[in-house]
Amino acid sequence: MEVRLGRGRGRSRPRCPRLRLRRRLHGRGHRALPAAVRSDPRGTGRVQRAVPSTGRPRSLAADGVVALTLRRLDDGILPAWAPGAHIDVLLDGGDREGGDLIRQYSLCGDPAERDSWQIAVLREPQGRGGSAYVHDHLREGAAVRVRGPRNNFPLRPAARHLFIAGGVGITPILPMVEAAAAAGSDWRLLYGGRTRTSMAFLDRLARYGDRVLVRPQDEYGLLDLAAHLGVPEEGTLVHACGPEPLLQAVQEHCGGWPPGTLGVERFAPVRTAATGAAEAFEVKLARSGLTLTVPADHSILETVEQAGVAVDFSCREGTCGTCETDVLNGKPDHRDSLLTEDERAAGDTMLICVSRSCGTRLVLDL
């Protein structure tokens, strides 16, 4: 896709009816890009220049957080998106071997502004290099490739919304808040961070008055989740994004709420015990006509790639949903951080970047 700096691979398609329905309801899967913005056979867009929303080479949204606005090179229309959506940013030569880094960043601008996308990136000194690359190398005129948008964290209809954001977790929550306010919904936001100066977009939230509780940790301590969430109320949905300890605490507080009340967006995988040993197994690719052996030390995704079969992927950690694939036969050993318990129990889809097989054989729709 051709865009200007203000600031993927392969293809797999959802085939089973249940998965197609779920992706329509929850926005999972890539939106098809208009022909005018396709620039390679894998559907990856190219951002020719990125210009920050302020008109300067980049805009600091908070301490350590840079806000970038992406525009098409021809100033044309970008694919539509809804609150909660994110894009993949492919950073050329960003890793130490000279390959691409693929990182997911939530869209935090206004969905009605179809000529630009906004993202915000926190520099993470202990990260894997993506945020450092963005902060140190992306300047006005820099070229980056983008893919998406995709939405695993939709704003679902409800009579009442309780939002919780921690740090840069405000990025997907902010458009949700603005959409809820525009719709006249009943909503509240609890927003925490290390310090007030580290919390992005306070200016955009100021107009909502006491509906937004800004609670920097150095002033207030840990977020008072119990007071914010209160007791379960019919018609209420909870939406949370932030560091894993915060999300775990929110999940504990919502443990007694009706199923489906809580929606979370994770930036990192949840480390859980695997349900089975990492043993070799066989995978049959129904559409490709191949039968492959997945070694104990390789993922399905890696094995499929080595066989020359094109398949979408991004995070390789089981969080983004890009590599989600239909299971035609066999029982998956789910090791991802995205699918719901109901989806895991159904067993007709899996994230092949991390999940394995509970038996000796799987048949996949690839």
Side-chain angles (χ1 to χ4, degrees):
M1 183 186 313
E2 303 290 338
V3 295
R4 283 196 301 273
L5 175 55
R7 253 200 355 170
R9 2 209 277 199
R11 295 176 298 276
S12 65
R13 298 185 303 276
R15 305 283 288 187
C16 76
R18 189 197 70 82
L19 186 55
R20 281 199 298 268
L21 175 61
R22 179 162 55 79
R23 289 182 180 177
R24 283 202 302 272
L25 291 176
H26 298 295
R28 191 164 294 170
H30 295 301
R31 294 179 183 272
L33 299 182
V37 300
R38 292 197 188 113
S39 61
D40 65 53
R42 290 174 174 165
T44 300
R46 176 165 290 278
V47 179
Q48 288 291 6
R49 277 184 290 152
V51 275
S53 53
T54 59
R56 300 194 303 270
R58 55 221 238 131
S59 169
L60 286 178
D63 289 348
V65 180
V66 65
L68 308 171
T69 299
L70 308 177
R71 301 180 189 277
R72 275 178 43 157
L73 183 63
D74 61 2
D75 290 320
I77 298 300
L78 290 165
W81 62 280
H86 69 267
I87 58 172
D88 297 334
V89 178
L90 290 76
L91 305 169
D92 294 332
D95 68 12
R96 292 180 181 178
E97 283 85 36
D100 287 345
L101 287 174
I102 305 177
R103 296 292 182 265
Q104 296 77 45
Y105 297 113
S106 297
L107 293 170
C108 55
D110 182 353
E113 295 180 357
R114 297 291 307 280
D115 61 344
S116 65
W117 287 340
Q118 186 179 34
I119 61 174
V121 181
L122 169 68
R123 179 187 282 277
E124 300 182 82
Q126 307 306 316
R128 295 170 297 152
S131 66
Y133 187 93
V134 170
H135 278 252
D136 296 340
H137 295 282
L138 289 192
R139 296 290 187 271
E140 186 170 3
V144 293
R145 289 173 293 158
V146 296
R147 182 173 59 195
R150 185 172 58 253
N151 198 337
N152 300 326
F153 186 46
L155 178 63
R156 296 168 290 155
R160 181 169 175 256
H161 297 278
L162 296 176
F163 300 107
I164 301 170
V168 78
I170 191 62
T171 53
I173 295 292
L174 180 58
M176 290 185 172
V177 163
E178 292 175 337
S185 302
D186 181 9
W187 64 272
R188 296 290 186 277
L189 166 64
L190 178 62
Y191 179 20
R194 291 177 291 102
T195 64
R196 193 174 295 269
T197 58
S198 73
M199 299 169 69
F201 303 120
L202 293 180
D203 54 340
R204 281 172 61 179
L205 292 167
R207 57 179 167 157
Y208 299 119
D210 59 7
R211 283 181 178 266
V212 177
L213 291 179
V214 176
R215 294 293 183 264
Q217 187 173 351
D218 64 340
E219 298 177 28
Y220 293 91
L222 296 178
L223 294 179
D224 189 349
L225 297 178
H228 183 65
L229 294 171
V231 297
E233 290 188 25
E234 185 177 354
T236 297
L237 291 180
V238 180
H239 316 267
C241 184
E244 188 57 31
L246 171 62
L247 298 185
Q248 291 287 352
V250 173
Q251 287 180 311
E252 291 176 8
H253 279 276
C254 292
W257 290 50
T261 295
L262 175 62
V264 301
E265 176 86 321
R266 285 187 162 88
F267 295 143
V270 178
R271 301 302 178 188
T272 57
T275 58
E279 298 179 351
F281 59 94
E282 184 179 274
V283 60
K284 179 178 179 180
L285 309 184
R287 281 189 280 135
S288 303
L290 297 176
T291 299
L292 309 172
T293 297
V294 180
D297 59 348
H298 280 65
S299 67
I300 299 175
L301 174 60
E302 290 169 332
T303 303
V304 168
E305 284 184 290
Q306 290 173 3
V309 177
V311 57
D312 276 339
F313 70 88
S314 184
C315 72
R316 292 186 180 269
E317 295 184 324
T319 59
C320 74
T322 308
C323 69
E324 187 176 356
T325 301
D326 293 352
V327 179
L328 304 181
N329 197 9
K331 183 179 179 181
D333 175 6
H334 295 290
R335 304 186 181 194
D336 65 275
S337 304
L338 180 65
L339 297 181
T340 67
E341 290 305 315
D342 287 345
E343 290 166 348
R344 294 183 178 205
D348 54 7
T349 183
M350 67 186 298
L351 272 60
I352 63 173
C353 65
V354 292
S355 296
R356 301 184 68 79
S357 176
C358 290
T360 59
R361 189 171 187 265
L362 285 174
V363 180
L364 302 180
D365 189 22
L366 288 175

